[in-house]
C-alpha cells in the first residue's frame, strides 16, 4: 500500500503583504520503503510542503493520506499517531536539539516517547541508535555544543529514528554541512535505507545529492512539481526545460522570481513573472515564448503533468524530445559524493 499520498495540496501562508501560496496543487506518492527526492531552488516551496505533511504549515486545500487514512486532525491522538509514523529532520540541528541535554538523554527521551523501556533496554537502544547513524558511543555523554555540525545532524537523525517512523522527512539536512561531511551523511542515509527499509522524503537543492539517495525525484518550481520520474529516467532523459537547466547548472540562469502573491511587485513585473493561467517558467524558459514567439500557449494555459506518461511526468507544453541530448550529458554513474 502507498505509505504517503498527497493529492492537490495547496499551502498558503499569511505573510506581511497578504497570502503567499507556497505550494500550489501538488500531488505525490511515496510507497513504503521508498525514497522520493524533492529538489528545487530556495523559495520554491519545499519546506512548506514538508511542514504541511506534519501539520506545521497551513494546509489551504488538498489531501494528505498516511497509510490510506487522512493524516490531519488536531486531536492529541491524531497528532501522536502522526508523530509515531512520520518524523522530520531539518537543516539546522542547532535549533532542533536541546542544548542542555546530552546525546544519551536526547535519544533516551525519544526512544521512550511511545513505549516503555527499562534502564538496560534504554541503554541498549541508545547504543543501537548511535551505531545506526555512525556515531562513536563515546559521544553519548556530550552536549550538542561539544559536537561538530555533522555529529549534531547525526544525533538529530538518530532522534528521529528512535520512534521507528515509517517515513522520515529530511529537509536540507546536509545543506549546512561541509562538502566532505555532506558526502558521509548521504552515505549514512543510504545505509539506513538498506538496513531499516525506511521510506523517505529527501529534500534538497543539490540535484546530484538528491538523486544519489532517491528512487524517484520530483522537481519543484515556484510551488509546483514540474517534473517527476524514477531517478535514472530523470537523469537520462529530463523532459522539463527547468530540470534540464538544473542539470546543466546553466551559469546564467537567473533566480526564480518569488511567488506571484509574495510581494507587492509592480503590476507589469508581476504579470511578466506569472502570466495569468500560464506556465510559471515561461518568462525564463529556453523553449518558451521568450525565444519562440509563436508559443503563446505557454503564457495562456497552465501546463499539466501528463498523466499518460506515468511514471515520468513533465508539466510542459513543449517538452524537449527525450531522444535529443539536452544540455546535460550523464557522466559516469557515480556522483561525486560517493568518494568517502
Ligand atoms: N511562515 C511563513 N510565512 C510567510 N511566508 C512564508 C512562510 N514560510 C515560507 N514562506 C514563503 O513561502 C515560499 C516558499 O518558502 P519555503 O517553503 O521555505 O521554500 P524552500 O523550502 O523551497 O526554500 C517563499 O516565498 C517563502 O517566503
Ligand atoms: Mg526550505
Amino acid at each position: 500500500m502507498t505509505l504517503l499520498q498527497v493529492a492537490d495540496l495547496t499551502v498558503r501562508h499569511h505573510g506581511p503583504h497578504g497570502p503567499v501560496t507556497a505550494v500550489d496543487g501538488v500531488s505525490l506518492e511515496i510507497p513504503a520503503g521508498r525514497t522520493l527526492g524533492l529538489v528545487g531552488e530556495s523559495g520554491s516551496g519545499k519546506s512548506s510542503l514538508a511542514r504541511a505533511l506534519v501539520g506545521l504549515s497551513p494546509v489551504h486545500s488538498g489531501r494528505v493520506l498516511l497509510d490510506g487514512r487522512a493524516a490531519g486532525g488536531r486531536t492529541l491522538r491524531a497528532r501522536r499517531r502522526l508523530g509515531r509514523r512520520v518524523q522530520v529532520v531539518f537543516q539546522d540541528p542547532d535549533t532542533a536539539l536541546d542544548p542542555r541535554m546530552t546525546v544519551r538523554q536526547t535519544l533516551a527521551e525519544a526512544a521512550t516517547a511511545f513505549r516503555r523501556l527499562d534502564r538496560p533496554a534504554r541503554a541498549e537502544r541508545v547504543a543501537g541508535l548511535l551505531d545506526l547513524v555512525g556515531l562513536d558511543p563515546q559521544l553519548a555523554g556530550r552536549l550538542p555544543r561539544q559536537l561538530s555540525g555533522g555529529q549534531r545532524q547525526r544525533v538529530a537523525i538518530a532522534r528521529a529514528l528512535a520512534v521507528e517512523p515509517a517515513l522520515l522527512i529530511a529537509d536540507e539536512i546536509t545543506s549546512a554541512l561541509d562538502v566532505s561531511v555532506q558526502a558521509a551523511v548521504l552515505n549514512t542515509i543510504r545505509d539506513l535505507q538498506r538496513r531499516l527499509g525506511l521510506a523517505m522524503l529527501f529534500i534538497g537543492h543539490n540535484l546530484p545529492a538528491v538523486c544519489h539517495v532517491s528512487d524517484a525525484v520530483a522537481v519543484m518550481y515556484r510551488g509546483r512539481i514540474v517534473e517527476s520520474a524514477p531517478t535514472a529516467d530523470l537523469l537520462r532523459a529530463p523532459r522539463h526545460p527547468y530540470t534540464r537547466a538544473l542539470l546543466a547548472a546553466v551559469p546564467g540562469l537567473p533566480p526564480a522570481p518569488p511567488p506571484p502573491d509574495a510581494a507587492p511587485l509592480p503590476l507589469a513585473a508581476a504579470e511578466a513573472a506569472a502570466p495569468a493561467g500560464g506556465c510559471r517558467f515561461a518568462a525564463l524558459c529556453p523553449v518558451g515564448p521568450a525565444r519562440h514567439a509563436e508559443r503563446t500557449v505557454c503564457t495562456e494555459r497552465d501546463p499539466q503533468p501528463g498523466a499518460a506518461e506515468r511514471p515520468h511526468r513533465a508539466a510542459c507544453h513543449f517538452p524537449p524530445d527525450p531522444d535529443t541530448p539536452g544540455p546535460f550529458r550523464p557522466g559516469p554513474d557515480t556522483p561525486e559524493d560517493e568518494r568517502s
Side-chain angles (χ1 to χ4, degrees):
M1 195 215 305
T2 306
L3 176 67
L4 179 78
Q5 270 180 297
V6 175
D8 210 12
L9 182 72
T10 293
V11 175
R12 196 164 287 171
H13 298 291
H14 301 283
H17 306 294
V20 176
T21 305
V23 177
D24 194 358
V26 160
S27 300
L28 53 83
E29 290 187 357
I30 304 180
R34 290 301 171 124
T35 294
L36 176 69
L38 182 65
V39 71
E41 62 203 80
S42 178
S44 54
K46 306 180 300 295
S47 294
S48 297
L49 172 57
R51 296 172 66 88
L53 299 182
V54 289
L56 295 173
S57 279
V59 172
H60 178 259
S61 58
R63 279 189 315 158
V64 178
L65 299 182
L66 190 65
D67 308 310
R69 285 194 285 166
R74 296 263 157 250
T75 62
L76 189 63
R77 200 157 151 247
R79 297 193 73 82
R80 274 180 70 83
R81 181 177 156 261
L82 188 64
R84 190 159 34 186
R85 296 290 285 166
V86 184
Q87 285 283 310
V88 196
V89 180
F90 294 105
Q91 172 170 347
D92 185 0
D94 299 359
T95 55
L97 299 175
D98 187 330
R100 295 157 307 178
M101 283 169 71
T102 64
V103 173
R104 180 182 293 112
Q105 288 168 333
T106 294
L107 297 184
E109 185 187 73
T112 52
F114 294 106
R115 59 172 154 149
R116 290 180 170 283
L117 294 175
D118 61 15
R119 210 169 228 288
R122 218 181 304 161
E124 195 179 317
R125 183 77 181 123
V126 169
L129 287 165
L130 291 171
D131 176 60
L132 262 182
V133 298
L135 279 175
D136 187 333
Q138 308 257 7
L139 299 178
R142 297 223 185 144
L143 293 168
R145 69 178 146 79
Q146 297 169 316
L147 300 170
S148 71
Q151 288 169 336
R152 280 200 290 273
Q153 196 57 295
R154 286 173 190 272
V155 175
I157 296 167
R159 186 182 61 177
L161 296 175
V163 306
E164 298 179 23
L167 177 68
L168 181 69
I169 300 177
D171 187 358
E172 305 259 16
I173 59 168
T174 64
S175 300
L177 306 176
D178 292 342
V179 174
S180 60
V181 182
Q182 284 184 21
V185 172
L186 288 176
N187 285 331
T188 298
I189 292 293
R190 292 191 54 145
D191 195 41
L192 290 173
Q193 291 166 329
R194 271 193 296 265
R195 285 167 74 178
L196 304 178
L198 193 64
M200 288 186 69
L201 178 63
F202 190 92
I203 300 174
H205 60 264
N206 175 344
L207 189 54
V210 171
C211 287
H212 186 51
V213 299
S214 301
D215 299 297
V217 176
V219 180
M220 199 163 182
Y221 182 74
R222 300 183 67 204
R224 291 276 173 88
I225 304 241
V226 296
E227 181 163 11
S228 59
T231 306
D233 295 350
L234 189 94
L235 289 173
R236 196 184 322 109
R239 289 204 194 138
H240 198 283
Y242 177 68
T243 310
R244 293 191 155 207
L246 271 187
L247 282 165
V250 176
L253 188 76
D261 43 8
L265 284 176
L267 192 60
E271 275 169 3
C279 172
R280 282 143 204 250
F281 193 51
L284 303 175
C285 182
V287 304
R291 304 266 176 89
H292 304 266
E294 76 286 2
R295 295 186 170 176
T296 52
V297 64
C298 298
T299 53
E300 288 161 3
R301 233 170 2 97
D302 201 7
Q304 300 299 315
E309 320 160 60
R310 294 184 83 168
H312 191 158
R313 306 176 357 133
C316 177
H317 292 301
F318 301 97
D321 181 350
D323 295 329
T324 55
F328 174 72
R329 260 166 274 105
D333 217 351
T334 321
E336 255 177 32
D337 48 47
E338 193 84 288
R339 280 165 303 165
S340 68

